[in-house]
Amino acid sequence: MRNVLLAAVATATMMLPVVGQAAEKLVVYTSQPTQDAQTTVDAFMAANPDVEVEWVRDGTTKLMAKLRAEIAAGDPRPDVLLIADTVTLEGLKQEGQLQAYKSPEASAYEDALYDGEGYYYSTKLITTGIVYNTAVKAPKSWADLSDAALKNQIVMPSPLYSGAALIHLSTLTENKDLGWDYYQALAANDARAQGGNGGTFKAVASGEKPYGVVVDFLAIRGKAKGSPVDFVFPTEGVTYVTEPVAIMKEAKNVDAAHKFVDFVLSDAGQKLVLDMGYIPARNDMDLPEGFPARKDIKLMDFNPAIALEQADANKKKFADIFGAE
């Protein structure tokens, strides 16, 4: 009897985690900037000391190439994805590569900011609006950029290069008041469409092109640092990317993945987003300094499934109009 008890105690002891060693592991693939990713992981592990996180950081395109190769080899490594846009995750959802999870934190989010079946959730809002050099008259709307008086004065990132610009294109061309006619008007106005958001901001800040289409934080942070620019949230609304989070279908650490999703959507996780200088996706949070009140930012209607379905056709049509730069 004594030997049986000793064996039971030994078995139970082997099942207990070693002090100081995490009981769970989690693998995260993210396109967050390195410092943001480190901050997110550190805060999550502080709130969940039983979980040890391994994270891989790269641009969304490179991460997806890595993940595709792993899927093809039958061994996808990440449990969780935290990457740039919902269109990419919508594609993975349609391919059956994600698993649904109904996070209890979802009630604090607008319906448009997460997948209704629970396959992915937005964690922040990075909106695209109009940046202008303060030496010129302030615009108010997207339509203002099609004014012939602004001929050869507009710069914008190309959707052939920038994922945010491709989402911007899909959103505006699906808008009944803008559509492809708007892009034809921009082309007739000799708007320059090439490169990414960084180059666009530099062109406007330097005065090379007085008007630009750019993501919010570049312009707002630039203004705070003394650049002669200001940022407009157009009257028709803004387009946006949301850095969504999702759980892989083949996740090996599902419980830890649930904890991570809940954390980044929670009040504590969203305060991290605010501290990083972005708009939290959670609707009960403040906005960073320099941004208007949340009620004054209108989000344009956007459908990730339509954007995914039309991505190649939209790129081709854009290239036909502006040239493949």
Side-chain angles (χ1 to χ4, degrees):
M1 182 68 178
R2 181 172 178 274
N3 289 339
V4 172
L5 288 173
L6 287 174
V9 170
T11 301
T13 301
M14 285 189 293
M15 293 175 65
L16 291 173
V18 177
V19 175
Q21 178 179 332
E24 298 179 89
K25 289 188 179 290
L26 182 71
V27 179
V28 178
Y29 280 14
T30 182
S31 62
Q32 282 189 320
T34 301
Q35 185 57 55
D36 291 355
Q38 186 69 67
T39 298
T40 301
V41 168
D42 288 348
F44 170 72
M45 292 198 336
N48 297 271
D50 58 331
V51 181
E52 179 182 331
V53 178
E54 174 189 340
W55 56 281
V56 176
R57 189 271 157 200
D58 211 329
T60 295
T61 300
K62 290 185 177 180
L63 277 179
M64 286 302 299
K66 176 178 173 62
L67 180 59
R68 293 285 183 201
E70 293 171 357
I71 290 172
D75 186 28
R77 292 199 61 243
D79 299 300
V80 170
L81 300 177
L82 179 61
I83 57 178
D85 63 86
T86 52
V87 176
T88 300
L89 292 186
E90 177 65 26
L92 289 173
K93 170 192 169 182
Q94 292 186 17
E95 294 168 22
Q97 296 294 340
L98 303 180
Q99 61 174 278
Y101 169 56
K102 293 295 184 76
S103 173
E105 300 290 343
S107 60
Y109 290 74
E110 293 183 23
D111 291 349
L113 296 182
Y114 64 92
D115 176 73
E117 297 174 281
Y119 283 97
Y120 51 80
Y121 297 86
S122 299
T123 65
K124 66 180 58 165
L125 294 175
I126 300 176
T127 71
T128 292
I130 302 172
V131 61
Y132 68 97
N133 192 289
T134 51
V136 298
K137 180 181 177 182
K140 295 181 180 179
S141 68
W142 293 118
D144 286 349
L145 298 187
S146 62
D147 188 332
L150 302 189
K151 191 176 183 67
N152 200 33
Q153 296 182 48
I154 302 161
V155 62
M156 59 188 184
S158 170
L160 308 179
Y161 178 90
S162 163
L166 183 58
I167 286 174
H168 180 73
L169 173 69
S170 176
T171 305
L172 265 58
T173 53
E174 287 297 308
N175 182 281
K176 63 181 179 61
D177 296 321
L178 295 169
W180 280 104
D181 287 346
Y182 177 67
Y183 276 89
Q184 294 282 4
L186 291 178
N189 242 1
D190 292 333
R192 186 176 79 196
Q194 63 186 48
N197 282 275
T200 295
F201 174 74
K202 289 177 182 177
V204 175
S206 69
E208 177 192 352
K209 297 284 185 179
Y211 300 95
V213 176
V214 78
V215 291
D216 54 25
F217 67 89
L218 283 179
I220 291 172
R221 291 177 188 176
K223 177 185 176 181
K225 292 178 180 178
S227 291
V229 299
D230 213 337
F231 186 77
V232 173
F233 292 83
T235 54
E236 301 98 334
V238 289
T239 65
Y240 56 96
V241 295
T242 64
E243 197 170 85
V245 64
I247 302 173
M248 292 292 294
K249 179 68 178 293
E250 302 299 326
K252 300 175 180 66
N253 304 287
V254 175
D255 288 344
H258 290 173
K259 291 176 182 177
F260 187 85
V261 170
D262 290 344
F263 176 78
V264 296
L265 299 181
S266 71
D267 184 76
Q270 290 291 286
K271 282 180 179 174
L272 292 178
V273 172
L274 181 62
D275 291 343
M276 292 171 191
Y278 303 104
I279 302 174
R282 191 178 173 103
N283 60 22
D284 56 1
M285 302 290 294
D286 292 332
L287 271 63
E289 186 175 351
F291 285 75
R294 186 179 292 270
K295 65 180 178 61
D296 296 328
I297 300 177
K298 178 183 177 183
L299 301 180
M300 300 182 77
D301 291 339
F302 172 64
N303 188 318
I306 290 176
L308 176 67
E309 178 185 357
Q310 298 182 350
D312 290 341
N314 282 349
K315 288 180 182 179
K316 182 180 185 305
K317 190 164 184 176
F318 183 90
D320 289 343
I321 295 172
F322 286 89
E325 293 191 50

